[in-house]
Amino acid sequence: MNVTIHPGQLQGTVAAPPSKSHAHRLLIAAALAEGECRIHCPLENADIEATVRCLKALGAKIQRDGEYLKVSGALSRTGEKAVLDCGESGSTLRFLIPLCACLSRETILTGAGRLPSRPNGPLLDAIRENGAIYEGQGLPLFMGGGMKNGRYALPGNVSSQYFTGLLLALPLLKEDSILIYTSPLESMPYVDITLSVLHQFGIEAEPMENGWRIPGGQKYVSPGEAKVEGDWSAAAFWLGANHLGSRVKVEGMNEKSPQGDKAIGELLQKIGSEMDVTDTPDLMPILSAVAAAVPGKTRITGAARLRIKESDRLAAMAKVIRALGGEAVETEDGIIILGGALKGGVVNGMNDHRVVMSAAIAATVCKGSVTILGAQAADKSYPGFFKEFAKLGGIIHAG
């Protein structure tokens, strides 16, 4: 699907979609717990659906009940070979690799888009050193179980998803384990979300210097009900539009959330200067789009890992900005933007939801119309984005 957006400010109120980061973790914990758990998650997206699909393949019972996802029946740790289709969700894949390594059954993890080529080496090395049996580096990945308690050490600058996957799985092992980051842990707020969910389901992860001690033999216990928080990553697009003159109120946000992307307001104030997004890399695309439309020089750093997302987001956003008549140059770990008036034009969404939505927000203040190719990529995290955009007064045509 391609969309054409004409310049014009947005105004009105939107309800924040559920945080997929929070939803992934709640669903996995609920599937590991004894007893039923009703998770308030009024909307789903492609990534959340991928986690639901994989957990069902492992034996969990998950069904939609109005605005809730009802999870009952713990995962089956034994049984026939299970095939887990992770779609394009890196979180689903990285969270489930350690879990599959704990099971006494064979599993095959598959995926689509760029996911088969995204790296998992440090995580696979860590579980192999502790007995896990697997075949492959990319996808499909054949897991044969065998993971045991021990010392798990990974560099902290690769992916916080590796740490979340291990924090979810290690409590299931019989004996205690140690999880260590050997360099500063980037995107720590995402791990904070994991630790919060573990606590909610009765799981202990004892903090220690540069890591955690995870007691073995623990059992996940359902809290009965849980609520997926509003997604600060999604709200960031509307808040970015506000920085460009729109007036959008986003309802349903938790100001005390452990989500790192709640820093969007603070980072928007740094446009025109330098900012580090090491802990909030998902905000780089919208910050770049806003910076391109505001006079001044903005330098964003700490974003090298974005080269291995759904697209190379540093290259993608530089191309988007230049296609709209702006100036942007990639650096090794970020992007430099010389902001000013944007003309409009045709941009490629690069099959990346955050690139597509960032381009749409930039379009509100361009001098001419903006056509976004492959706009359906927004469905990965925010299926209702363009419908909300139109409800807010956005002038948009699909074709």
Side-chain angles (χ1 to χ4, degrees):
M1 176 182 76
N2 303 329
V3 300
T4 297
I5 299 173
H6 298 278
Q9 300 293 349
L10 307 177
Q11 183 173 347
T13 301
V14 297
S19 162
K20 67 187 182 82
S21 296
H22 196 205
H24 288 308
R25 292 158 171 82
L26 285 175
L27 284 163
I28 294 171
L32 291 170
E34 297 179 355
E36 181 180 288
C37 185
R38 285 166 49 85
I39 300 174
H40 186 255
C41 184
L43 298 173
E44 294 178 58
N45 56 44
D47 281 8
I48 294 175
E49 289 170 358
T51 292
V52 169
R53 183 170 60 242
C54 290
L55 293 174
K56 284 183 174 179
L58 289 172
K61 297 178 181 178
I62 305 175
Q63 61 185 49
R64 169 64 66 179
D65 182 14
E67 292 192 345
Y68 289 81
L69 287 170
K70 186 168 67 174
V71 185
S72 61
L75 296 184
S76 175
R77 301 197 190 185
T78 59
E80 298 180 356
K81 183 183 297 183
V83 179
L84 279 58
D85 176 8
C86 300
E88 297 186 43
S89 175
S91 295
T92 303
L93 175 64
R94 273 81 174 265
F95 295 174
L96 292 182
I97 284 175
L99 179 58
C100 290
C102 290
L103 303 178
S104 299
R105 63 187 300 186
E106 293 184 352
T107 52
I108 302 174
L109 295 125
T110 67
R114 279 172 53 111
L115 188 60
S117 62
R118 290 172 66 177
N120 298 301
L123 177 59
L124 293 172
D125 290 344
I127 64 173
R128 184 189 63 237
E129 290 170 3
N130 287 278
I133 301 168
Y134 66 86
E135 294 180 11
Q137 287 289 327
L139 301 182
L141 182 63
F142 299 82
M143 305 294 300
M147 195 167 88
K148 300 176 183 178
N149 65 290
R151 183 180 185 273
Y152 291 77
L154 298 94
N157 63 344
V158 281
S159 175
S160 64
Q161 294 171 349
Y162 299 164
F163 291 89
T164 285
L166 288 165
L167 283 166
L168 290 166
L170 293 177
L172 303 175
L173 302 177
K174 292 182 179 180
E175 305 294 337
D176 298 358
S177 295
I178 299 293
L179 176 57
I180 297 293
Y181 44 92
T182 57
S183 60
L185 180 55
E186 298 182 1
S187 297
M188 182 63 193
Y190 287 100
V191 177
D192 288 337
I193 300 172
T194 307
L195 294 170
S196 175
V197 169
L198 290 176
H199 178 75
Q200 191 173 0
F201 282 79
I203 297 296
E204 295 182 15
E206 302 169 3
M208 52 182 291
E209 185 176 4
N210 298 330
W212 302 267
R213 187 182 77 86
I214 299 101
Q218 298 189 66
K219 291 185 178 181
Y220 283 77
V221 179
S222 171
E225 285 199 8
K227 182 177 181 179
V228 180
E229 292 185 346
D231 188 2
W232 279 100
S233 300
F237 296 102
W238 309 123
L239 299 178
N242 289 347
H243 199 78
L244 297 177
S246 290
R247 290 181 290 173
V248 180
K249 179 181 179 182
V250 186
E251 294 182 333
M253 304 309 301
N254 177 9
E255 298 289 343
K256 296 182 179 179
S257 169
Q259 295 178 55
D261 288 349
K262 69 180 179 183
I264 179 62
E266 176 185 342
L267 291 172
L268 284 169
Q269 298 305 313
K270 293 184 178 181
I271 284 177
S273 61
E274 184 169 330
M275 67 183 83
D276 187 328
V277 296
T278 297
D279 286 335
T280 56
D282 283 344
L283 295 180
M284 188 284 296
I286 184 58
L287 290 168
S288 299
V290 174
V294 175
K297 180 179 178 180
T298 301
R299 182 185 182 104
I300 300 175
T301 62
R305 286 169 297 148
L306 295 181
R307 294 194 181 278
I308 54 172
K309 292 290 188 175
E310 287 82 352
S311 70
D312 177 341
R313 284 185 180 155
L314 296 178
M317 286 309 302
K319 289 178 182 177
V320 165
I321 292 168
R322 291 195 292 265
L324 295 178
E327 297 183 52
V329 179
E330 299 171 57
T331 65
E332 183 177 351
D333 75 334
I335 188 170
I336 299 172
I337 302 152
L338 296 178
L342 297 176
K343 298 176 182 178
V346 179
V347 301
N348 190 327
M350 302 295 291
N351 195 37
D352 191 319
H353 52 127
R354 300 198 191 282
V355 172
V356 166
M357 292 185 282
S358 297
I361 297 304
T364 63
V365 293
C366 286
K367 291 182 177 179
S369 64
V370 174
T371 297
I372 304 173
L373 308 180
Q376 72 279 357
D379 291 350
K380 186 175 191 292
S381 64
Y382 201 160
F385 175 79
F386 285 109
K387 183 180 292 186
E388 295 283 11
F389 191 96
K391 284 171 59 178
L392 293 167
I395 307 170
I396 181 170
H397 299 94

